[in-house]
Amino acid sequence: MDDMRNKNENNKNTINSDDTAASESQIAVHWKEEAFISPSVKFIAQANMADPNIRERFKVENFPECFREYADMLTWDKYWHTTLDTNNPPFWRWFTGGKLNASYNCVDRHLAKYKNKAALIFVPEPEEESHIVITYQELYARVNEFSALLQDFAELKTGDRITFHLPMVPELPVSMLASARLGIIHSEVYGGFSGQACGDRIADSGSRVLVTIDGYYRSGNLIDHKVNADIAVERAKNLGQPVDKVLVWRRHPGKYVSKSSMVKGRDFFIDEVIKDFLGKRIEPLPLPAEAPLFIMYTSGTTGKPKGAQHSIGGYLSYVAGTSKYVQDIHPEDVYWCMADIGWITGHSYIVYGPLVLAATSVMYEGIPTYPDAGRAWRIAERLNVNIFHTAPTSIRMLRKTGPDEPKKYSYYFKHMTTVGEPIEPDVWKWYYEIVGKKEAVIVDTWWQTENGGFLCSTIPALDLMKPGSAGPGLPGIYPVIYDENGGEVKAGSGKAGNICIRNPWPGIMQTIWGDPERFVNTYYSKYNKNKASKDWRDWPYFAGDGAMEASDGYYRILGRIDDVINVAGHRLGTKELESACLTVLEVAEAAAVPVMDETKGRAPAVYITLKPGFEGKEQEVTQKVISTIEKEIGKIARPKYVYVVPDMPKTRSGKIMRRVLSAIPNKLDIGDITTLANPEVVEKIKLLVQEEG
Ligand code: PRX
């Protein structure tokens, strides 16, 4: 293995994909293989998991019983009788027969020992506003009171869905845990998504209650958020889902900061209604392990977002195990994950994982560079954060805006995480040397909304770090890379393929909410050879990412192989972008492709053609396209470029060749275009793209 550490591999990406596709994986940068770096002795000495025997315990012969080790980290009302029920593949059921409550596990059970310890520390974006410390006792009180309100005022019960459209405020984890207490299935929509996008998700989940907030701070501005609720309710109604109550938290209780008026009989200020519930206690319901805990929407290859449904028992066990062993969280730690709770990272590794382990979880409202590039490090210093978790896009931004800032602050991180997109070795090294001060271990965790928790990563005290590589499969996760025909791509072959997981694991989503067929087709059909088989070995999970395995067993993730663009670590479907463009009257055709971006990793570029007879200004249509995308999806989807082209390059059967459209701005080889119906248009597009810079 030693020889391999410094060896440069000839990383040739050999993913076959259909001619019209333009995937991130095809524009992947092929970094050279980096040398290993060891974790510090100091880190190893205190780590939760420094016993190499763990690999033995979780090897395939011990599957699935090995996962008892994670489930035993929880408190069960009733112990399970079957660790993994495979009767209805691929709808795996974990810990069946068991009963538990997620809210109890994250709050009540810690009271005896930790009631006065900080559970959450909320850091408002305005620096002059004080931090809000919520102890486990205070969290217990708030969760109970809001739970009582949901039960008696909103009349919600076990199995009902509730949608949250909340930014990074402590009311969000309170709302999640209050719902979990009663088995109400929560669906949090990222606060930066538009009202329209929220309305689509309300309708899909069938929620009749929306929880929102009047406003929040971002980049120094107080954003009016309640206005989105009005749009969301209207959109959901048009899609056939009435919302009868909108519950509104206030950023400054008692003071309303939104321009939107409160609709009588529909909209209620929570700080007023909750007065009737102060001091109320709600018994946490013992719920079946396989009952759903939440739905998290994510982009897929068709326009409609997919609701990834996660279970209580399997999900919570998996986040407990990975938070303990990979994040190395101890109750004494101050843990700060800079993600947004509106994404799966925040659900698993700001709320459920850290709280189930009785840690102190820091939540920050705003952007890490507000008001200046030192903000993140001031927070770390002030709160004595020792575990730090963020995404490459933030690391790139922090490096760009203040490469030497971390040196000015005396914080000490023992552990750091990167997640959400491939990290360039160069960026990794800045993170390690400057942010981590050469002392913090780094874990590069690869996983997805669908997975509940990490799949590939190093175990920080046991494995060496390799910049740019996620690492091996975690305990109990057996990854494999297949080519398009189902042949195994061997480790060290220097070839890329489709990364799959051979086996089920407790954190895997249960289904796509309301669409089990799409669940099977998206994740399992590709490599399942026998639909009748009840053996899990016949059902590899297809992740949709291109990857390579080095001969040391470390995986390097290259990016999406499908029609999904991972922008700053967040997934957007190209179809979602394209359908938004097509709502602009003047647009005839639209194609969205990923382009490389210095800060965000990838960004969308949009090509449009205009309807015949168009006589207006192209610039105006371009602006319309941008604002429509922002309105339909959110600012996060704002395209980096909008190119107005005379025609799209097409196959003879009329398919738009996105591969060509992606190659041009990424300055890649456009490949063979002789089979196109209109090859001459490619030159014109090239010139146009060059002009736009
Ligand atoms: O392409 C992979 C990329 O992010 C996708 C999943 O996005 P999402 O469901 O939003 O979840 C993000 C956070 C878990 C994956 O299909 N991705 C995630 N982590 C990594 C990554 N790419 C490279 N390295 C990672 N560590």
Side-chain angles (χ1 to χ4, degrees):
M1 188 168 100
D2 270 357
D3 295 349
M4 281 310 300
R5 292 184 186 169
N6 293 311
K7 193 176 154 203
N8 292 351
E9 288 189 357
N10 175 18
N11 301 333
K12 198 158 173 282
N13 185 344
T14 55
I15 293 171
N16 301 318
S17 58
D18 105 43
D19 249 7
T20 57
S23 73
E24 290 187 354
S25 192
Q26 284 165 328
I27 61 171
V29 186
H30 300 305
W31 307 311
K32 70 177 176 60
E33 201 71 8
E34 293 284 328
F36 281 110
I37 297 172
S38 312
S40 71
V41 175
K42 195 167 154 197
F43 177 82
I44 297 171
Q46 61 78 60
N48 278 328
M49 178 41 64
D51 173 10
N53 193 28
I54 187 169
R55 302 252 184 243
E56 192 65 23
R57 294 204 298 278
F58 280 82
K59 69 179 188 193
V60 70
E61 290 80 351
N62 297 330
F63 179 86
E65 297 306 323
C66 52
F67 280 113
R68 281 175 177 268
E69 185 165 333
Y70 287 1
D72 282 340
M73 292 177 190
L74 308 180
T75 306
W76 293 78
D77 294 305
K78 187 167 170 246
Y79 211 65
W80 65 92
H81 52 68
T82 308
T83 302
L84 172 61
D85 173 349
T86 61
N87 272 318
N88 184 22
F91 301 90
W92 317 116
R93 297 168 82 215
W94 282 90
F95 311 119
T96 47
K99 289 198 168 167
L100 77 168
N101 186 284
S103 182
Y104 177 86
N105 270 279
C106 292
V107 187
D108 307 39
R109 70 167 179 157
H110 304 317
L111 295 179
K113 220 167 153 189
Y114 298 116
K115 67 171 181 285
N116 292 326
K117 180 183 179 293
L120 297 166
I121 302 180
F122 171 62
V123 182
E125 188 182 73
E127 215 162 356
E128 61 284 1
E129 254 190 61
S130 310
H131 299 162
I132 295 175
V133 177
I134 301 177
T135 62
Y136 275 95
Q137 176 62 31
E138 175 63 14
L139 184 61
Y140 171 74
R142 291 195 194 189
V143 165
N144 272 279
E145 288 160 1
F146 193 56
S147 202
L149 186 154
L150 292 179
Q151 178 185 270
D152 297 337
F153 181 74
E155 296 174 324
L156 289 166
K157 53 180 192 323
T158 308
D160 288 346
R161 278 79 57 211
I162 185 167
T163 296
F164 307 148
H165 194 201
L166 289 170
M168 284 293 282
V169 288
E171 287 76 11
L172 174 51
V174 167
S175 303
M176 290 162 73
L177 295 163
S179 305
R181 210 164 177 82
L182 294 165
I184 300 164
I185 304 166
H186 60 75
S187 166
E188 151 70 1
V189 177
Y190 168 60
F193 272 146
S194 65
Q196 281 86 345
C198 179
D200 291 344
R201 288 154 178 80
I202 291 175
D204 190 81
S205 64
S207 304
R208 55 178 188 78
V209 176
L210 170 66
V211 181
T212 188
I213 193 163
D214 58 345
Y216 62 99
Y217 291 93
R218 196 149 181 94
S219 303
N221 303 311
L222 181 56
I223 312 265
D224 185 343
H225 190 58
K226 164 68 168 53
V227 291
N228 294 318
D230 302 330
I231 299 168
V233 170
E234 187 60 26
R235 175 86 151 221
K237 194 174 100 194
N238 293 339
L239 292 168
Q241 178 59 44
V243 171
D244 41 64
K245 283 199 173 65
V246 177
L247 306 176
V248 186
W249 293 102
R250 283 192 276 196
R251 177 63 179 73
H252 302 284
K255 186 176 151 218
Y256 188 51
V257 299
S258 169
K259 286 204 305 284
S260 134
S261 48
M262 295 289 279
V263 176
K264 203 158 182 289
R266 188 198 75 178
D267 301 354
F268 302 90
F269 290 129
I270 296 169
D271 56 76
E272 286 176 4
V273 180
I274 208 143
K275 286 184 184 143
D276 294 339
F277 298 95
L278 296 181
K280 286 266 175 355
R281 297 291 175 257
I282 293 285
E283 268 307 296
L285 294 180
L287 296 161
E290 68 274 24
L293 176 60
F294 66 86
I295 305 168
M296 165 66 62
Y297 282 89
T298 189
S299 294
T301 51
T302 69
K304 202 166 163 249
K306 302 179 284 198
Q309 177 188 316
H310 285 284
S311 71
I312 304 174
Y315 170 82
L316 206 61
S317 301
Y318 198 66
V319 296
T322 49
S323 295
K324 186 159 182 175
Y325 294 164
V326 182
Q327 297 289 275
D328 198 51
I329 295 178
H330 304 64
E332 303 75 42
D333 290 321
V334 181
Y335 168 89
W336 181 18
C337 171
M338 228 164 59
D340 194 293
I341 299 175
W343 308 110
I344 192 70
T345 301
H347 272 49
S348 300
Y349 299 111
I350 298 178
V351 181
Y352 286 113
L355 296 185
V356 87
L357 297 179
T360 297
S361 187
V362 175
M363 310 177 47
Y364 173 53
E365 180 176 31
I367 63 158
T369 48
Y370 179 82
D372 57 63
R375 183 68 192 277
W377 321 125
R378 284 200 290 285
I379 295 172
E381 184 185 79
R382 169 86 192 215
L383 300 179
N384 203 4
V385 171
N386 66 342
I387 307 182
F388 184 66
H389 185 156
T390 192
T393 184
S394 304
I395 306 171
R396 291 184 208 110
M397 200 199 341
L398 288 163
R399 179 168 79 153
K400 199 166 142 193
T401 48
D404 298 318
E405 280 304 298
K407 293 182 187 150
K408 300 181 191 160
Y409 299 92
S410 55
Y411 61 81
Y412 166 76
F413 294 154
K414 67 165 183 174
H415 181 294
M416 306 194 301
T417 302
T418 165
V419 65
E421 19 155 2
I423 182 164
E424 299 82 351
D426 186 38
V427 177
W428 192 100
K429 284 178 193 157
W430 181 78
Y431 196 33
Y432 181 71
E433 285 164 16
I434 307 298
V435 180
K437 306 180 178 183
K438 293 191 188 154
E439 286 203 62
V441 290
I442 295 184
V443 290
D444 180 345
T445 58
W446 169 72
W447 61 299
Q448 312 169 296
T449 304
E450 294 89 337
N451 309 153
F454 309 144
L455 293 180
C456 284
S457 165
T458 49
I459 300 178
L462 288 175
D463 303 316
L464 303 173
M465 298 170 259
K466 182 158 66 170
S469 286
L474 279 170
I477 303 292
Y478 321 119
V480 59
I481 296 183
Y482 288 127
D483 63 23
E484 280 300 308
N485 307 316
E488 230 175 284
V489 178
K490 292 274 179 269
S493 64
K495 287 189 183 149
N498 302 330
I499 189 164
C500 296
I501 309 298
R502 293 183 198 267
N503 60 300
W505 65 97
I508 181 67
M509 70 196 284
Q510 298 178 292
T511 186
I512 293 177
W513 178 260
D515 202 347
E517 210 175 310
R518 189 172 174 203
F519 170 70
V520 179
N521 289 341
T522 312
Y523 305 105
Y524 295 97
S525 291
K526 189 165 175 86
Y527 293 117
N528 168 257
K529 293 192 192 90
N530 174 11
K531 281 212 154 40
S533 170
K534 292 202 185 305
D535 185 342
W536 59 261
R537 290 167 194 79
D538 290 323
W539 294 90
Y541 167 81
F542 170 66
D545 276 333
M548 313 192 22
E549 185 185 2
S551 48
D552 51 35
Y554 277 45
Y555 292 90
R556 175 186 298 173
I557 309 299
L558 302 172
R560 304 289 312 181
I561 52 172
D562 53 15
D563 303 335
V564 169
I565 311 181
N566 188 338
V567 180
H570 307 311
R571 275 160 66 173
L572 297 173
T574 52
K575 295 277 191 304
E576 283 170 82
L577 289 154
E578 290 166 6
S579 12
C581 296
L582 292 173
T583 65
V584 175
L585 222 58
E586 296 84 348
V587 174
E589 293 169 303
V593 296
V595 289
M596 281 184 258
D597 182 88
E598 211 185 290
T599 316
K600 295 176 179 167
R602 301 280 180 270
V606 169
Y607 290 85
I608 51 170
T609 60
L610 301 176
K611 287 194 181 139
F614 172 79
E615 281 176 0
K617 287 196 184 121
E618 281 187 5
Q619 173 83 25
E620 276 165 21
V621 183
T622 308
Q623 278 315 316
K624 262 197 210 170
V625 163
I626 293 173
S627 61
T628 305
I629 288 175
E630 287 187 352
K631 193 173 89 202
E632 286 295 311
I633 307 173
K635 282 211 161 48
I636 187 175
R638 187 187 171 92
K640 180 167 174 167
Y641 306 108
V642 179
Y643 301 118
V644 184
V645 293
D647 196 5
M648 299 283 183
K650 288 191 186 131
T651 61
R652 295 218 167 97
S653 59
K655 276 191 184 172
I656 299 177
M657 289 279 273
R658 288 180 178 74
R659 175 175 64 73
V660 174
L661 293 176
S662 167
I664 298 172
N666 288 305
K667 302 192 173 55
L668 296 174
D669 179 10
I670 54 169
D672 181 17
I673 53 166
T674 52
T675 56
L676 286 188
N678 53 351
E680 69 288 348
V681 80
V682 174
E683 248 344 279
K684 290 189 196 152
I685 297 177
K686 261 186 173 171
L687 282 173
L688 223 140
V689 169
Q690 254 171 24
E691 275 168 26
E692 302 262 320

